[in-house]
Amino acid sequence: MLKKILIALAASIGIFLIVVAMQPADFRVERTTNIAAPQADVFAQVNDFHKWDAWSPWAKLDPEAKVTFDGPESGQGTVMTWAGNDKVGDGKMTLTESHPNDLVKIKVDFVKPFEGTANSGFAFRPEDEQTAVTWSMEGHHNFIEKAFCLVMNGKKMIGDDLEKGLAQLKTVAESGKAASNN
């Protein structure tokens, strides 16, 4: 009986490892929302890391996180580093590309609780009287990260965070805070 249990366990582990190995290494998650605010105001909230505290889905997870800024005040070359609790970890964001009112691209380097790199992007376009904002995140997973994402439904977790951030960005931009923070 014990032998059958061990064989079944080994077979289950083997099947799991095969399923993980078959998962795509590259991932991309994106979410879009429409915001009733001028495109320039919404863009300004994203293009300046100093403003992220008002809407970032991760800022509220650790209000005591140590955040520092380097480089220009906003736009290409600006850098934000953070060191926080186990919910936000440690890392660095570098704004790598900025096209006024249209596009922001960011390289995100995670240090803790795991090391990794992802690319994040924001695209802004007019949509009737609103601004359509698409937030994307993409990257490459190693075997362990693929296993984690399979077990924890990582793409859904990332998507949920992007949706939460976009909802909070919408609230900030539509409340007029975006214009007053420029």
Side-chain angles (χ1 to χ4, degrees), residues 84-160:
N85 63 22
D86 61 342
K87 292 181 181 177
V88 298
D90 297 0
K92 176 173 88 169
M93 294 193 320
T94 305
L95 205 148
T96 59
E97 195 173 335
S98 176
H99 299 279
N101 305 331
D102 291 324
L103 178 74
V104 171
K105 289 188 177 180
I106 301 163
K107 179 181 177 193
V108 185
D109 294 303
F110 301 99
V111 178
K112 288 182 183 177
F114 57 88
E115 290 188 18
T117 299
N119 294 304
S120 187
F122 290 83
F124 308 87
R125 70 179 192 287
E127 178 116 355
D128 298 321
E129 298 295 316
Q130 301 186 342
T131 300
V133 182
T134 299
W135 187 1
S136 64
M137 186 170 286
E138 59 189 358
H140 185 83
H141 287 311
N142 63 31
F143 186 84
I144 299 296
E145 292 166 334
K146 289 194 302 184
F148 175 82
C149 282
L150 183 64
V151 172
M152 301 301 292
N153 200 355
K155 286 179 85 170
K156 181 182 181 322
M157 288 173 54
I158 293 169
D160 289 349

Side-chain angles (χ1 to χ4, degrees), residues 36-38 41 45 169-182:
D41 291 351
Q45 287 293 315
L169 176 60
K170 179 180 178 81
T171 299
V172 168
E174 290 179 354
S175 72
K177 290 180 185 176
S180 66
N181 285 342
N182 286 334

